[in-house]
């Protein structure tokens, strides 16, 4: 959470996005590097933000990347490296000298180092681990031991811990001394001799406290904290709810082992949203970050599973029509309304499941109560069916040149929308209750499931109408 | 961004979510209030976080809400009030005495006050504005003048500004003095006599600086900033990209007028994600916050617009089938595969549009290049069509008891998936290029649009096969 090195000159012009800055920098960088103007590069990059430098280096031809990277100062190099794409990080590791690599990896923050190691081949990780200093090796091995997507993986072990007997003046001295080595100095943690977390205070509390007061008297003893195995989404929700800048992470013995900072949490919230959106679009959630870099076979693989499931479900619809084709043979126009009916059912179901799944994610639906939510959606579905009737039935009546098609379409439309809304709301909630991911019951699945029921209702209604009109 | 009052006792037990804490507190609160045990209430609420108190009070019966609220200390009351649901905020305003209301509104942060005023009837706002102190009235009127969802609306006007000639010691004194009245003390801003922003420094920079050094020498002159009319999503993306805790907002004359803090940005990112998810589910984006509180007619109104659009598009599919029913009359089984074909086309189209729309939102697709993205999706669609063939054609062949249905299904399946993927990728990009919201071209629309083309291709292929087999 660096607030120091800030780039992009003040200009009152329409604001430019970071990606645009990076694009301009890339062009100038490439020209200067090709011309061997290394002093020019240094001057160019001085006012640029680390993340923008990282994107520019990533955009350079492979052969120039290491060259550009070497022109950065040591401190800047670490920061820029942490922002690089995993693919660029790896290719740089191959191109830098082993001494350079070691220094880089040694000086990265433990959480960023672990994220890098996750991407590297096991052999390279073992070699790098062996070459790390004992302290950094221990921390890294510990973090690598936590499961992916937990607080343990997200946290950094670089924080400032104080003791209750410190005075405010002493504490401020500690903060000053440790500031260069910690991710944040704004949240300060108080531990006892066994490293148990006993309290928390902010730098704001410390700066405004009487210099002679003891930390034990200034700190807050009630601390919101998570455990190393807490899911990253829960960590993110807690920081969001309480407007925290950081959240302490404790182990099973309640010892303070790390902190999660708000900047990491923003990325988690975006990642979880992407996952929900992908599920809603029948794309398998995966390592979304590099989606646009993965090859086409990987893309197809990620989608084909869902498609096969949906096509099998659609096969059922085919089966239902094929076994009820008598009525279609009598009135072939009935077939023309099948797409409209299942389309409407699918859309109504998708609306209900979207609202419910998002409500579960943002934890708003829990406030309302789950049963009440399903009931609301059922009524909403019936209401929407009624509104649709006003448009669809006259159209069907006119197309069908008589009451049969219009009546069949009308009756089944009401049934389908009500059913679709109920299923769309209750299936995700059922999955949630069973401890499964409700997003698995997302729009495409609901759509396909209601197709079967919708077609069956429609054809049965039509054949019942036909036979009662014949009598 | 309060880090001071932190609640929920340290317990190593499986972590409880904030909503669960609020639920427990509500029950105890209601019992104590009903029993008149006001001291008990004070003890109960002391260790609880303001946001949890706010949710608990919101859960109480209306008649007890004002009672519970009055038992809070003045400072706590302000904080809790800012976290209350707009509906509860309004009902409290009606129940508190006018003196209490005035003090509350006067002491709220300007940005929270503006958010409250947005919800209140214009008459009440005018009265409250008239009763505010001149300073607060001026600030509030200024903020109300900015458009919704811009940096101007999101920002707070409470920040610490320093001058370049201050020494670090003097600056630290200013920070101490102003700390109680500002939203954050961790980002410090440096302005000249005309209030133009000339630099920025973090409290970390200040605390670690030589006490006698001048701010002008310690600060960073290159500042990322936004204007009052910058869209809130762009503000959020900048804070996320650069891992900032706050971002300065300047007016047209480049004077510093406010700052946006990271906690507000998290809510914006979630709000924008909800909007994208709702669009993907054909639910009209609106004031998502109170979705689960709005009445059923409001719910139906928000969905019916989309449904009507989709039903009209589906009407076209009906028309296509009705005008090509000769071939169906000859082979009625062809009708059985219509849902499967348009279902597959819809799902493939949904996958492509989902990935592209999300890629536009997270700004990852811009790195790849738009044309390349469409081309990738087209190839992916064809690839997926090919994979589907392997499952669907044998099934169709077997159901159709001969080559006609299987061949018609196979040929049209390939055309439909390729077309759907291309349309799914290119229509959102086209909308984006035209400056419209790409989410309008989301899954339900793509699905319905590909239905028409898919059915047409299928029936034309079948009738061509029929006539060539007859010859």
């Amino acid at each position: 959470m660096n607030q120091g090195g800030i780039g992009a000159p003040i200009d009152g012009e329409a604001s430019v996005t970071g990606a645009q800055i990076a694009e301009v920098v890339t062009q100038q960088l490439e020209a200067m590097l090709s011309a061997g103007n290394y002093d020019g590069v240094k001057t160019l990059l001085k006012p640029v933000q680390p993340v923008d430098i990282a994107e520019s280096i990533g955009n350079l031809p492979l052969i120039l990347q290491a060259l550009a990277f070497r022109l950065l100062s040591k401190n800047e190099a670490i920061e820029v490296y942490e922002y690089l794409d995993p693919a660029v990080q790896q290719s740089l590791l191959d191109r830098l000298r082993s001494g350079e690599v070691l220094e880089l990896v040694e000086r990265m923050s433990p959480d960023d180092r672990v994220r890098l190691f996750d991407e590297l081949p096991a052999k390279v990780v073992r070699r790098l681990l062996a070459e790390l200093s004992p302290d950094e090796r221990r921390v890294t091995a510990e973090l690598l031991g936590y499961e992916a997507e937990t607080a343990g993986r997200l946290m950094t072990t670089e924080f400032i811990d104080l003791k209750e007997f410190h005075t405010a003046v002493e504490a401020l001295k500690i903060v000053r001394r440790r500031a260069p080595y910690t991710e944040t100095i704004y949240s300060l943690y108080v531990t006892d001799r066994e490293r148990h977390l006993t309290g928390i205070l902010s730098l704001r509390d410390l700066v405004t406290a009487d210099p002679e007061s003891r930390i034990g008297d200034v700190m807050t003893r009630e601390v919101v904290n998570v455990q190393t195995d807490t899911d990253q989404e829960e960590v993110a929700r807690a920081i969001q709810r309480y407007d925290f800048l950081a959240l302490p992470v404790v182990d099973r013995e309640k010892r303070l082992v790390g902190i999660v900072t708000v900047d990491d949490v923003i990325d988690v919230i975006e990642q979880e949203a992407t996952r929900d959106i992908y599920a809603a679009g029948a794309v398998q959630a995966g390592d979304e970050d590099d989606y646009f870099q993965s090859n086409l076979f990987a893309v197809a693989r990620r989608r084909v599973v869902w498609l096969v499931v949906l096509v099998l479900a659609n096969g059922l619809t085919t089966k239902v029509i094929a076994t009820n084709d008598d009525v279609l043979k009598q009135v072939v126009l009935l077939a023309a309304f099948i797409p409209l009916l299942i389309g409407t059912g699918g859309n109504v179901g998708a609306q209900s499941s979207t609202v419910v799944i998002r409500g579960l994610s943002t934890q708003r639906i829990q406030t309302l109560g789950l049963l009440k939510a399903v009931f609301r959606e059922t009524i909403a579905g019936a209401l929407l069916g009624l509104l649709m009737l006003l448009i669809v039935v006259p159209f069907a009546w006119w197309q069908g040149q008589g009451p049969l098609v219009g009546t069949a379409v009308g009756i089944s439309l009401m049934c389908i929308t009500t059913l679709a809304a109920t299923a769309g709301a209750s299936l995700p909630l059922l999955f949630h209750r069973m401890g499964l991911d409700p997003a698995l019951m997302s729009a495409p699945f609901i759509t396909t499931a209601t197709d079967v029921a919708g077609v069956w209702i429609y054809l049965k209604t039509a054949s019942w109408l036909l036979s009662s009109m014949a009598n």
Side-chain angles (χ1 to χ4, degrees), chain A:
Chain A
M1 241 179 333
N2 168 55
Q3 284 273 89
I6 291 176
I10 301 179
D11 55 359
E13 307 305 314
S15 50
V16 282
T17 66
Q20 289 166 330
I21 294 172
E23 204 172 306
V24 173
V25 171
T26 307
Q27 287 165 6
Q28 298 184 3
L29 198 54
E30 191 171 347
M32 285 176 176
L33 287 170
S34 308
N37 179 5
Y38 300 145
D39 286 337
V41 170
K42 286 180 190 169
T43 315
L44 171 71
L45 295 185
K46 202 165 176 301
V48 182
Q49 291 279 347
V51 61
D52 293 332
I53 298 180
E55 188 168 326
S56 304
I57 289 183
N59 288 343
L60 284 178
L62 270 184
I63 193 135
L64 294 181
Q65 287 179 350
L67 188 57
F69 189 73
R70 283 211 180 93
L71 292 173
L72 301 173
S73 75
K74 278 192 182 167
N75 283 329
E76 213 172 20
I78 305 284
E79 265 199 272
V80 167
Y81 191 77
E82 292 177 348
Y83 279 117
L84 286 170
D85 264 348
V88 182
Q89 284 183 331
Q90 285 193 45
S91 90
L92 268 185
L93 283 193
D94 297 338
R95 279 160 196 277
L96 296 176
R97 281 186 305 271
S98 65
E100 289 173 319
V101 169
L102 192 61
E103 187 178 353
L104 194 65
V105 174
E106 173 80 28
R107 292 186 54 188
M108 286 177 86
S109 356
D111 53 336
D112 288 307
R113 190 190 298 135
V114 165
R115 247 161 268 164
L116 170 65
F117 281 12
D118 269 340
E119 303 285 335
L120 294 178
K123 209 174 66 179
V124 179
V125 170
R126 267 198 305 277
R127 184 168 56 78
L128 286 174
L129 263 180
E131 287 173 344
L132 281 178
S133 67
D135 270 4
E136 296 294 330
R137 183 165 59 228
R138 190 187 48 71
V139 167
T140 310
E142 196 184 304
L143 291 185
L144 280 170
Y146 299 118
E147 257 184 273
E149 310 205 340
T150 61
R153 264 306 174 84
L154 205 58
M155 72 188 189
T156 178
T157 51
E158 295 174 333
F159 54 84
I160 298 180
D161 51 337
L162 304 168
K163 299 294 170 202
E164 293 192 23
F165 57 77
H166 285 140
T167 62
V169 178
E170 289 168 345
L172 214 48
K173 267 189 204 149
I174 296 175
V175 170
R176 280 207 184 94
R177 204 180 59 228
R178 305 255 315 261
Y181 313 107
T182 61
E183 187 145 335
T184 180
I185 63 166
Y186 303 133
S187 298
L188 307 167
Y189 303 91
V190 187
T191 53
D192 65 14
R193 284 210 294 186
E194 283 79 38
R195 294 201 290 126
H196 296 125
L197 180 61
T198 62
I200 187 174
L201 78 164
S202 64
L203 185 58
R204 186 184 199 131
D205 298 332
L206 186 60
V207 162
T208 52
D210 176 348
E212 289 314 312
S213 57
R214 302 227 167 254
I215 294 303
D217 302 327
V218 182
M219 72 183 197
T220 307
R221 284 179 194 277
E222 293 82 21
V223 186
V224 175
N225 65 97
V226 291
Q227 290 204 306
T228 50
D229 57 358
T230 304
D231 185 84
Q232 64 171 6
E233 189 163 10
E234 207 178 299
V235 176
R237 292 283 161 218
I239 288 194
Q240 180 184 18
R241 181 179 178 93
Y242 297 115
D243 291 345
F244 287 160
L245 295 181
L247 198 61
V249 183
V250 299
D251 65 12
R252 296 202 171 281
E253 284 75 42
K254 302 176 196 176
R255 285 183 306 237
L256 179 63
V257 289
I259 62 168
V260 175
T261 49
V262 67
D263 52 333
D264 294 325
V265 154
I266 293 182
D267 298 335
V268 169
I269 288 178
E270 178 159 300
Q271 193 184 333
E272 300 285 347
T274 296
R275 204 166 285 188
D276 284 0
I277 290 173
Y278 275 21
V283 180
Q284 199 186 320
D287 195 0
E288 293 82 9
D289 266 11
D290 55 1
Y291 182 87
F292 287 103
Q293 281 149 39
S294 50
N295 70 56
L296 281 171
F297 284 94
V299 167
R301 204 193 54 227
R302 256 202 233 167
R303 300 190 193 170
V304 81
V305 181
W306 260 112
L307 282 181
V308 169
V309 172
L310 297 172
V311 106
L312 291 178
N314 270 318
L316 283 177
T317 312
T318 305
K319 220 39 216 164
V320 169
I321 298 176
T323 52
N324 291 282
D325 63 349
D326 292 348
V327 63
L328 286 181
K329 275 178 189 150
Q330 290 179 58
V331 188
V332 98
L333 187 76
L334 282 172
F337 285 90
I338 291 179
L340 193 150
L341 283 175
I342 63 181
T344 306
N347 288 322
V348 169
Q351 291 178 330
S352 293
S353 68
T354 298
V355 167
V356 166
I357 291 171
R358 186 63 182 160
L360 282 170
S361 277
T362 57
Q363 305 188 336
R364 287 189 197 285
I365 206 170
Q366 284 85 338
T367 319
L368 181 70
L370 304 189
L371 267 180
K372 207 173 154 201
V374 174
F375 183 69
R376 271 172 66 94
E377 290 301 317
T378 304
I379 305 288
L383 208 60
L384 288 168
L386 216 58
L387 290 169
M388 290 291 99
L389 274 188
L390 302 177
I391 305 170
V392 174
V393 170
F395 175 62
W397 204 291
W398 167 70
Q399 275 282 332
Q401 298 173 326
L404 174 76
V405 177
T407 314
V409 166
I411 294 176
S412 37
L413 188 66
M414 275 298 296
C415 298
I416 290 171
T417 55
T418 312
L419 188 76
T422 311
S426 56
L427 290 180
L429 289 175
L430 195 72
F431 262 50
H432 174 69
R433 266 291 166 93
M434 291 161 62
L436 299 168
D437 183 0
L440 288 176
M441 274 294 135
S442 64
F445 196 86
I446 301 283
T447 304
T448 312
T450 55
D451 282 1
V452 184
V455 165
W456 188 84
I457 292 171
Y458 177 52
L459 295 179
K460 284 296 174 200
T461 309
S463 72
W464 169 74
L465 282 173
L466 263 179
S467 65
S468 45
M469 275 156 68
N471 295 339

